[in-house]
Amino acid sequence: MMIKDFNKTAMTAGNHDISYSEMLVRISMFAEYTPKRSGEGAMAHRPKTIILSENREGWAYALFSIWLNRGIAVPVDATSTVHDIAYIIKDCQPECIWTSNEKCETAKAAMAEAGLNVKICIIDDYERIELKGEKADIKYEDDETALIIYTSGTTGSPKGVMLSFENMNSNIRAVSVEVPIFNEERKTMILLPLHHVLPLVGSLVAPILAGGGVAFAPSMAAGDIMATLQDNHIAIIIGVPRLWSTLYKGIKNKIDANFVTRMLFKMCAAIGSRTLSRIIFKSVRTKMGGKIMYCVSGGAALDKEIGIGLKTLGLDVLEGYGMTEAAPMISFTRPDDICPGASGQPMPSVQVEIRDGEVCAKGKNIMQGYYNRPEETADILKDGWLYTGDLGYLDEKGRVVITGRRKEIIVLSNGKNVNPNEIEFKIENYQEYVKEAGVIQDGDLLRAIIVPQPAWAQTLSDEEVENTLKREVLEPYNLTVAPYKKLMSLFVYRGDLPRTKLDKLQRFKLNALLTSKNEPQEDVVVKDPDLEEYRIIKKYIQDEKRCKMKPTDHIELDLAFDSLDKVGLQVFLQSTFGMEITTDQITAFKTVSDMAEYVADYKTRIEVEKIDWKKILKEHTNLRLPETWFTGGILVKVSKLFFKMFFKLTGKGVENIPQEPCIIAPNHQSFLDGMFVMSFLKFRMIRNTYLYAKKEHIKRPLLKFIANRHNIIIVDMSNVKDSIQKLAEALKQKKNIVIFPEGTRTTSGKLGEFKKTFAILSQELNVPVVPVSIKGAFDAMPKGTILPRPHKVEVEFLDPVYPSKQKDSTYEKLTDTVYKRIENNQMVG
């Protein structure tokens, strides 16, 4: 400890100050009842003791007494259920439980369920008794296990993380010696539950050892927090992103209500001077006690906008990145290098590398392993490197920037990666209506679970809330984002979303909320408008989507129309009602009823027709096929030689490709699939076969130059109708085309859903489809990798599917036939 004066206050709890001297004596007193280590060296028995209590001074005495007796502390969430506590008791087999009067019965019930009789010590009995004995002198070996902390369970059942004294000390040295954030002049507020490693190390152990001391906030209520800040001259607060978000939004709402303060805020944001911000918004820091030095954010990523906003208010926000397995820090913001959106540079003693997009760390802070879980330890610890599961990168100054969690990233079938945290933050910015939000994948679409603001929604039915949220939240949000980030439906949930104590959303529990029952609401029956146009449109939609439809439904949000569906509806409206309408106009209608009223006003006829793709594909398209340079065939054949050596590439069934124009339809496993397929074609067929590329991927002039001379048709996927017509034109010019029915590469190695674009082209132009089965390419070059790996790749051209030979052929049946042929081949060998 860096203590010069043992009479100095170490802890403040309410109106009670505890000096360092008193604290050390009380630790010795608690140690009299805490199990002690027995034996020496490798044969020593180090007992485990659970701490099950709300935050209080006795929590600290219990912790330090365990270490004084060379035992292992097992902090447990005081709000855990009996079942959850019993699970931990069974798993770690403790010899003692330090608990409070309030939690004593819970502890006894958990012991009974676990079938283990454990000694119970009540914190209340010893916390304030008369002092006696000597000051504690805690000694330990660096490699001794200090803590077993059970993970909070964002993805499933908890695991016990074993942390040594060296793991903890590497963190403490980093923020008190190597970068002196904690010192004897700075008091820290204890706010977060101490059973988590972040507040345990950061808001208790580090400030106590540094000599600055701590003050306990009685609760997380705003009034208690502000009173603790003001009464104790707090310099450091460790909080979670939701705390800082709530603080910032509350202050910002007041600033925005006044023209002068609103302009001052904009001026400070533009100038970016810390000194100016602190002068203009001095009142913010004054209300927080006037001594605030650092606001520390951890536990989850802090949104960049919040970080920038707090910086503009003159508050220094230090972001930390890490996890329980790193005790807890991997990187943290340096006070002289505050960069919102980044989590600072790695701790001085820690190495960080980005491997296949994943953040990996190595250093003295990395855990010893999971208690009694050798296999799960081996999954995350490899050659001393901790594979965090977080996606990110190092910026130009070596700061860690986290972009998402590998297991949380939503991968759509079009290959787009969606970070749900980003969307949730934007939705929660609609504070008038939204309390909190969770984003989940619903098939190939995104869905929002929204908890409405109680004050606004309490007198409304779920349907009324849902309709307002669609109009006032989802629609404005969807207008500002890329198509793949749009929210297509929502679910109103009147409760709190499942979170850990450090505010991390437990995503694995979100889907269960969809089957939960809110308070019963009377069903609101919405009558269909008495319009012939509406009845015709409704029948078309219900036939196409095979679903029921309400007049208040939105084409995207409720009926899940994708780009191809909207093209079909566009053509139907034009052919049936004789009016020009764009797909953007269709999406802009708030309800189907609104669209029907528009059609009623502007139609020129009513003549019900089914969508005629044959007619669409016959429309003239100004498509000039790319030139075919001889270099294309040479490049393909040279590549084949490399593929044979590196991947042991083999192929068969090329004779199944007919002489007539055809669609070659492979499954999509890797970036190289097109070249794998083309390499087995003869020179003449290579020159006669075209691939397509999305316009968004061919932006640079050089890429356009190469594409226009090597059989690449560039299509704009924002205009699906035009894209299909371009591919049809190539087939009509007696060319072959390669179409990947999945639309994008697999992310799991499994066959994805097939889109029906190729089936429309095949059936309406009477062109055969050659299914192609590719095996091994996913293992050779999975999505997200840059360099391929040596792995055997097999390509097999299967028997062609002729639409004219299919009985009662439909687009769906043709799609299914091709899918099953490739699927059956994938299952063989």
Side-chain angles (χ1 to χ4, degrees):
M1 291 189 190
M2 305 175 189
I3 311 302
K4 298 175 183 177
D5 179 7
F6 281 88
N7 292 320
K8 182 179 179 181
T9 299
M11 298 189 293
T12 300
N15 296 322
H16 181 55
D17 291 334
I18 303 102
S19 68
Y20 273 93
S21 180
E22 178 183 345
M23 179 188 73
L24 292 172
V25 173
R26 291 199 180 279
I27 291 170
S28 292
M29 293 168 63
F30 268 61
E32 293 178 15
Y33 307 96
T34 303
K36 295 178 173 60
R37 182 184 74 166
S38 59
E40 295 293 334
M43 300 301 292
H45 169 66
R46 303 188 63 233
K48 293 180 284 292
T49 298
I50 282 177
I51 306 176
L52 176 67
S53 169
E54 62 283 353
N55 284 3
R56 58 192 299 168
E57 59 184 284
W59 203 107
Y61 302 148
L63 174 72
F64 291 124
S65 75
I66 295 167
W67 290 344
L68 179 62
N69 285 350
R70 305 291 286 272
I72 300 171
V74 185
V76 175
D77 183 357
T79 63
S80 296
T81 64
V82 168
H83 179 73
D84 289 341
I85 298 169
Y87 169 88
I88 294 174
I89 291 174
K90 279 183 182 179
D91 193 59
C92 75
Q93 299 284 304
E95 294 182 19
C96 177
I97 297 177
W98 274 106
T99 189
S100 62
N101 277 330
E102 185 179 338
K103 298 299 173 183
C104 184
E105 292 305 316
T106 302
K108 289 178 179 178
M111 283 170 25
E113 183 176 324
L116 188 66
N117 189 21
V118 176
K119 174 185 176 182
I120 289 185
C121 296
I122 306 299
I123 290 175
D124 306 64
D125 294 344
Y126 307 102
E127 194 172 49
R128 297 281 178 88
I129 61 174
E130 184 179 349
L131 285 179
K132 62 178 180 178
E134 301 295 324
K135 295 177 185 176
D137 183 14
I138 300 173
K139 297 179 180 179
Y140 54 84
E141 298 293 333
D142 279 350
D143 60 353
E144 287 181 348
T145 302
L147 299 164
I148 297 178
I149 293 195
Y150 281 80
T151 55
S152 49
T154 57
T155 57
S157 61
K159 298 183 289 291
V161 177
M162 297 187 294
L163 299 175
S164 69
F165 285 100
E166 182 178 55
N167 294 154
M168 283 195 308
N169 285 337
S170 64
N171 273 264
I172 295 168
R173 280 195 304 270
V175 292
S176 59
V177 178
E178 294 161 341
V179 181
I181 294 170
F182 294 96
N183 63 33
E184 61 182 5
E185 302 299 325
R186 295 170 186 165
K187 182 175 281 191
T188 301
M189 180 166 68
I190 294 180
L191 177 65
L192 303 176
L194 288 171
H195 68 275
H196 283 286
V197 69
L198 170 63
L200 191 157
V201 174
S203 64
L204 176 61
V205 181
I208 288 287
L209 294 181
V214 300
F216 287 84
S219 76
M220 294 186 72
D224 284 340
I225 292 173
M226 296 307 291
T228 305
L229 289 172
Q230 292 167 356
D231 294 344
N232 294 279
H233 305 297
I234 297 296
I236 300 173
I237 315 172
I238 296 179
V240 293
R242 189 166 291 270
L243 170 69
W244 305 122
S245 177
T246 301
L247 173 69
Y248 170 67
K249 289 175 181 177
I251 296 171
K252 188 63 163 57
N253 285 340
K254 292 179 180 179
I255 288 173
D256 289 344
N258 182 281
F259 174 79
V260 175
T261 53
R262 189 163 65 244
M263 291 301 104
L264 286 172
F265 184 88
K266 288 183 178 181
M267 179 186 72
C268 288
I271 295 173
S273 166
R274 178 176 181 268
T275 302
L276 179 63
S277 291
R278 288 199 159 197
I279 292 172
I280 290 179
F281 296 109
K282 181 181 178 182
S283 61
V284 172
R285 296 176 69 248
T286 299
K287 288 178 181 178
M288 296 174 72
K291 297 293 184 179
I292 286 293
M293 287 290 295
Y294 303 121
C295 301
V296 178
S297 181
L302 178 68
D303 191 89
K304 185 176 181 179
E305 182 181 324
I306 300 298
I308 293 172
L310 290 170
K311 187 177 181 182
T312 303
L313 292 172
L315 295 173
D316 291 343
V317 181
L318 309 183
E319 295 184 54
Y321 162 66
M323 54 200 301
T324 304
E325 290 83 346
M329 282 196 310
I330 291 172
S331 68
F332 65 95
T333 299
R334 306 313 195 253
D336 60 352
D337 183 35
I338 296 175
C339 179
S343 299
Q345 296 173 342
M347 285 178 13
S349 61
V350 174
Q351 300 175 60
V352 171
E353 291 184 1
I354 309 299
R355 300 180 177 181
D356 290 336
E358 182 176 358
V359 180
C360 299
K362 185 176 185 179
K364 293 181 179 181
N365 61 325
I366 304 303
M367 69 169 180
Q368 296 172 313
Y370 293 124
Y371 184 70
N372 282 339
R373 303 278 187 98
E375 292 183 3
E376 294 184 48
T377 299
D379 285 341
I380 193 172
L381 279 181
K382 301 172 185 177
D383 297 324
W385 286 90
L386 175 69
Y387 284 70
T388 66
D390 290 310
L391 303 174
Y393 63 90
L394 298 174
D395 69 9
E396 69 283 354
K397 290 191 175 181
R399 308 185 195 98
V400 177
V401 180
I402 301 300
T403 57
R405 182 138 184 91
R406 187 180 290 280
K407 291 181 180 178
E408 292 184 353
I409 294 296
I410 296 172
V411 183
L412 303 175
S413 66
N414 60 8
K416 298 293 186 181
N417 290 341
V418 178
N419 183 355
N421 289 290
E422 172 193 336
I423 298 176
E424 287 156 3
F425 176 77
K426 291 182 178 179
I427 294 300
E428 288 173 359
N429 271 339
Y430 293 89
Q431 298 172 62
E432 182 180 352
Y433 304 101
V434 180
K435 180 183 176 185
E436 57 178 332
V439 173
I440 60 173
Q441 187 171 8
D442 186 6
D444 196 30
L445 307 172
L446 297 177
R447 188 176 195 182
I449 298 175
I450 294 181
V451 177
Q453 289 288 6
W456 161 67
Q458 62 184 354
T459 61
L460 304 176
S461 69
D462 283 351
E463 184 153 4
E464 289 172 324
V465 171
E466 182 178 324
N467 289 335
T468 302
L469 289 173
K470 287 176 184 175
R471 182 177 65 252
E472 303 296 338
V473 178
L474 261 61
E475 288 181 18
Y477 161 78
N478 283 342
L479 290 173
T480 66
V481 297
Y484 70 93
K485 291 184 180 179
K486 289 184 178 180
L487 292 168
M488 296 307 188
S489 65
L490 69 87
F491 175 75
V492 176
Y493 180 68
R494 296 181 188 259
D496 292 327
L497 298 185
R499 294 181 181 275
T500 70
K501 290 297 185 300
L502 291 192
D503 203 43
K504 290 182 181 177
L505 194 59
Q506 294 179 302
R507 295 191 181 279
F508 71 100
K509 294 182 179 179
L510 289 182
N511 279 303
L513 300 184
L514 301 179
T515 59
S516 64
K517 294 182 180 179
N518 290 315
E519 293 295 319
Q521 302 282 337
E522 292 184 11
D523 289 335
V524 179
V525 178
V526 183
K527 291 184 178 180
D528 287 350
D530 188 19
L531 289 173
E532 180 64 16
E533 294 82 1
Y534 173 80
R535 287 188 283 273
I536 292 171
I537 293 171
K538 179 178 180 179
K539 184 177 186 308
Y540 169 82
I541 290 174
Q542 293 189 152
D543 288 346
E544 282 292 309
K545 301 299 288 184
R546 297 187 180 93
C547 68
K548 291 184 178 180
M549 190 205 82
K550 295 181 294 187
T552 55
D553 284 345
H554 184 275
I555 286 295
E556 283 187 338
L557 302 180
D558 300 300
L559 300 172
F561 266 55
D562 61 20
S563 53
L564 192 62
D565 293 329
K566 283 184 278 187
V567 170
L569 178 58
Q570 175 193 24
V571 173
F572 173 79
L573 295 176
Q574 288 173 343
S575 61
T576 304
F577 300 107
M579 58 187 296
E580 290 295 324
I581 191 168
T582 66
T583 54
D584 286 341
Q585 283 179 286
I586 289 172
T587 305
F589 290 117
K590 294 186 176 180
T591 66
V592 176
S593 178
D594 289 345
M595 178 168 60
E597 291 177 7
Y598 177 85
V599 170
D601 289 340
Y602 293 98
K603 70 179 185 300
T604 60
R605 66 169 187 267
I606 295 184
E607 185 178 334
V608 180
E609 295 182 10
K610 283 191 173 183
I611 181 170
D612 189 349
W613 280 107
K614 185 183 290 292
K615 182 178 178 182
I616 293 172
L617 298 183
K618 282 184 177 179
E619 291 178 11
H620 180 68
T621 300
N622 294 319
L623 173 66
R624 177 175 170 269
L625 287 176
E627 299 177 23
T628 306
W629 280 20
F630 72 94
T631 52
I634 294 174
L635 177 63
V636 168
K637 293 304 180 183
V638 170
S639 298
K640 184 179 181 181
L641 294 175
F642 169 75
F643 295 157
K644 281 192 169 185
M645 290 186 291
F646 193 81
F647 300 114
K648 297 182 181 178
L649 178 67
T650 61
K652 58 182 177 180
V654 182
E655 65 276 7
N656 287 324
I657 302 176
Q659 296 301 311
E660 59 192 297
C662 68
I663 297 170
I664 298 173
N667 60 304
H668 207 355
Q669 291 197 336
S670 78
F671 175 74
L672 297 172
D673 290 344
M675 292 293 283
F676 287 150
V677 171
M678 295 287 282
S679 67
F680 288 100
L681 306 184
K682 295 180 180 179
F683 268 105
R684 183 177 178 184
M685 189 171 287
I686 290 173
R687 293 172 64 84
N688 215 36
T689 301
Y690 286 76
L691 297 95
Y692 74 89
K694 298 174 184 177
K695 185 178 180 180
E696 62 201 75
H697 295 158
I698 310 290
K699 293 180 178 178
R700 296 181 181 177
L702 178 60
L703 290 178
K704 287 182 181 179
F705 178 84
I706 294 172
N708 288 329
R709 286 154 182 81
H710 291 89
N711 291 31
I712 305 292
I713 299 172
I714 301 174
V715 298
D716 182 358
M717 297 311 291
S718 65
N719 190 335
V720 178
K721 178 181 175 183
D722 179 67
S723 300
I724 292 177
Q725 287 176 326
K726 280 186 175 181
L727 297 175
E729 189 62 30
L731 290 168
K732 286 188 282 187
Q733 292 185 33
K734 307 299 182 184
K735 307 297 183 184
N736 304 323
I737 59 172
V738 177
I739 296 180
F740 294 98
E742 292 162 283
T744 188
R745 285 173 278 165
T746 177
T747 57
S748 64
K750 297 179 181 178
L751 204 59
E753 180 186 357
F754 278 19
K755 311 297 183 186
K756 62 183 179 182
T757 304
F758 79 95
I760 293 172
L761 291 166
S762 172
Q763 182 150 315
E764 299 305 341
L765 299 178
N766 195 25
V767 171
V769 179
V770 180
V772 181
S773 173
I774 301 176
K775 299 177 186 176
F778 176 77
D779 295 306
M781 196 173 185
K783 192 168 185 177
T785 59
I786 299 174
L787 298 176
R789 308 163 183 167
H791 194 282
K792 185 177 181 180
V793 176
E794 302 174 24
V795 177
E796 182 172 356
F797 297 81
L798 307 176
D799 291 337
V801 179
Y802 290 87
S804 58
K805 296 179 182 180
Q806 298 283 303
K807 185 178 180 181
D808 300 324
S809 181
T810 63
Y811 306 143
E812 289 75 18
K813 286 182 179 179
L814 185 57
T815 301
D816 191 51
T817 299
V818 173
Y819 180 94
K820 285 181 177 177
R821 289 199 182 181
I822 295 178
E823 181 184 43
N824 291 338
N825 185 273
Q826 293 278 304
M827 295 169 65
V828 176

